[in-house]
Amino acid sequence: MSAKRILVTGSTGYVGGRLVPRLLAAGREVRVLVRTPEKLLDVPWAGQVEIVQGTLQDRDAMARACEGIDVLYYLVHSMTGRGDFELEERKAAESVATAARDAGVSRIVYLGGLHPDSPDLSRHLRSRVLVGTTLLESGVPTAAFQAGVVIGSGSTSFEMIRHLTEVLPYMPAPKWVRNRIQPIAIRDVLHYLLAAVDLPPEINRTFDIGGPDILRYGQMMNGYAIEAGLPQRAIAALPVLTPWLASQWVNLVTPIPRSIAVPIVESLQFDCVMREHDIDTVIAPPEGGLTGYHGAVRLALAKMRDGDVETSWQNASVDGAPSDPLPSDPDWAGHTVFTDVKVRETDASTAQLWTVIEGIGGDNGWYSFPLAWALRGWLDKLVGGVGLRRGRRHAQDLQTGDALDFWRVEAIEHERRLRLRAEMRVPGKAWLEMEIEPREEGGSRYRQRAVFFPMGLSGRLYWFAILPFHGIIFNGMANRITLEAESRSA
């Protein structure tokens, strides 16, 4: 393979985060365009790529990112649908198309979704079609892949199927459970994306890609049940469940927040199967053939059991969640800020204490008043937030940018500090910080700090309303974390 220079947009996303290390392993020179470079701090391949900060609509950043590039991967697609969603998607595609053409990029590779030939597509499917069309008309040879439902550890579609199947022994479902879908394993998506680098320059078109199985959504749920060792689920298709009601149901019984559930459910209103198989004439199937649905589920479950989930839907940006980092203490002057600080001395070493801190959340819980944490998570789900069941990517390891229940890892310094930014729905901005420092006489000092910047009167009322619970929750949390660390040193 030639050492072509590659630009990947969407490298912090589910597909892009898996594609980049494979491009590097294939000997490619890789540059990434990211809005927040801090999200790549702990990614194993971060030191092997060139990082350009910016967004798709930032014309200057796109010009810098495209300079000297041979192949551009367009792997960005918003799931939030805020504002004039389709207009924003079109602007982003036009910005990329212009920058790629002006820089002399020789190939664009775009990943969209399978869709029927219908004027009544959901706006998210329409936006994907619009982006693909814009790139195909850019003057830069473009391979626009239209993929079926992607099945892999951590993918949104897989997690939705998994939780619906595991939580509900009986599923009153919308009529779209009878629609036909052609799922594709994430490994096969990556196979096509990697091979697209070497497509001949005359190719400028869409390609449908999907796995070997065509299933109804209900069959996919029961296929998961078989591979997970669960009884078959009874599924009743009810015409009264509208897409809006179905997305609220998905929001409540799965970790998928409403902002992501809505576009997924809207897109399931159609049969989404391959209409042509022309991809076979330009890219050979992977060695051993395409992975069937049951095989893809088995692989995903094995990755989860082994704690080897490379990327996850959990780390996608949350609609409406604050993204600004915690200001430094001197910057608080003149602002209303509420804090709750707990300090504990412990005989546990910094390493033992850090192990407990880094493993917090998910199945391990929050070391205090589980019922209160569960209730807060349910309340967050009811108002469209992510809730506690979003969990974490890995049972023990955390990286900057990781989702952690209804928090986001904003900063992490191993064996010293973990700072989490709240992504639950609150009238303000909140952070939870846990710090460790060694004591001269041995052991460690643990410092826990909750910080809240209230928004208006509602923010102040919210803080004072939950103040009585702080003594239980935050005191208990500090006590249990240090006791757990001491028990591991015994």
Side-chain angles (χ1 to χ4, degrees), residues 381-399:
K381 291 293 283 183
L382 285 172
V383 296
V386 293
L388 277 181
R389 293 180 60 203
R390 183 168 60 165
R392 47 184 295 157
R393 174 189 56 84
H394 189 280
Q396 191 60 43
D397 174 68
L398 286 178
Q399 297 178 356

Side-chain angles (χ1 to χ4, degrees), residues 4 6-34 40 43-51 71-75 186 189-191 193-194 197 310-311:
K4 291 183 178 179
I6 312 294
L7 171 63
V8 178
T9 67
S11 61
T12 59
Y14 180 75
V15 176
R18 297 188 180 213
L19 177 65
V20 169
R22 287 161 175 79
L23 286 168
L24 292 168
R28 311 297 191 184
E29 296 180 40
V30 180
R31 179 184 296 162
V32 298
L33 175 74
V34 292
L40 299 178
V43 175
W45 43 263
Q48 303 174 57
V49 301
E50 181 185 352
I51 299 174
V71 179
L72 183 156
Y73 283 93
Y74 193 115
L75 304 177
I186 180 62
V189 174
L190 294 170
H191 167 78
L193 290 174
L194 287 166
V197 171
E310 290 180 68
T311 57

Side-chain angles (χ1 to χ4, degrees), residues 308-324:
D308 188 26
V309 180
E310 290 180 68
T311 57
S312 172
W313 74 272
Q314 298 163 320
N315 293 341
S317 299
V318 176
D319 186 19
S323 58
D324 297 333

Side-chain angles (χ1 to χ4, degrees), residues 409-459:
V409 178
E410 183 174 282
I412 183 169
E413 298 175 53
H414 288 270
E415 294 194 20
R416 183 174 179 271
R417 177 171 60 116
L418 173 65
R419 185 166 71 227
L420 308 175
R421 183 179 69 247
E423 291 193 330
M424 77 283 277
R425 300 297 178 96
V426 292
K429 298 179 181 180
W431 289 266
L432 179 61
E433 193 170 56
M434 291 163 272
E435 293 183 314
I436 310 170
E437 60 181 27
R439 298 186 304 178
E440 291 183 4
E441 64 272 26
S444 309
R445 178 175 294 104
Y446 171 70
R447 182 174 184 264
Q448 175 182 292
R449 181 174 67 159
V451 180
F452 183 64
F453 285 69
M455 181 181 297
L457 178 61
S458 61

Side-chain angles (χ1 to χ4, degrees), residues 134-319:
T134 302
L135 298 176
L136 287 164
E137 294 174 352
S138 66
V140 178
T142 297
F145 293 122
Q146 299 177 152
V149 168
V150 177
I151 302 298
S153 58
S155 77
T156 311
S157 299
F158 175 74
E159 288 298 299
M160 189 168 123
I161 292 167
R162 180 169 79 91
H163 283 89
L164 284 174
T165 308
E166 290 184 350
V167 170
L168 302 172
Y170 171 80
M171 173 83 173
K175 59 184 179 181
W176 48 254
V177 294
R178 295 175 177 165
N179 288 350
R180 297 185 308 149
I181 298 171
Q182 193 162 359
I184 182 170
I186 180 62
R187 58 170 48 195
D188 293 337
V189 174
L190 294 170
H191 167 78
Y192 288 123
L193 290 174
L194 287 166
V197 171
D198 296 312
L199 286 174
E202 64 270 16
I203 289 179
N204 183 65
R205 55 161 295 180
T206 62
F207 289 101
D208 289 354
I209 59 173
D213 301 317
I214 297 176
L215 305 167
R216 300 188 188 278
Y217 200 85
Q219 291 176 312
M220 292 173 65
M221 291 177 62
N222 275 320
Y224 173 85
I226 291 171
E227 297 303 328
L230 300 171
Q232 294 281 284
R233 288 352 194 186
I235 301 173
L238 304 178
V240 295
L241 278 178
T242 65
W244 185 87
L245 283 173
S247 62
Q248 310 312 307
W249 179 244
V250 169
N251 171 62
L252 285 177
V253 302
T254 80
I256 311 297
R258 186 181 301 154
S259 60
I260 296 178
V262 169
I264 291 177
V265 170
E266 286 179 347
S267 299
L268 291 172
Q269 307 306 306
F270 311 92
D271 285 341
C272 290
V273 299
M274 295 175 67
R275 291 178 292 167
E276 45 84 9
H277 292 77
D278 295 350
I279 189 64
D280 295 336
T281 64
V282 293
I283 298 177
E287 187 176 351
L290 295 167
T291 305
Y293 175 69
H294 283 259
V297 171
R298 281 196 298 272
L299 289 168
L301 289 172
K303 291 279 189 181
M304 293 171 60
R305 283 193 299 269
D306 296 341
D308 188 26
V309 180
E310 290 180 68
T311 57
S312 172
W313 74 272
Q314 298 163 320
N315 293 341
S317 299
V318 176
D319 186 19

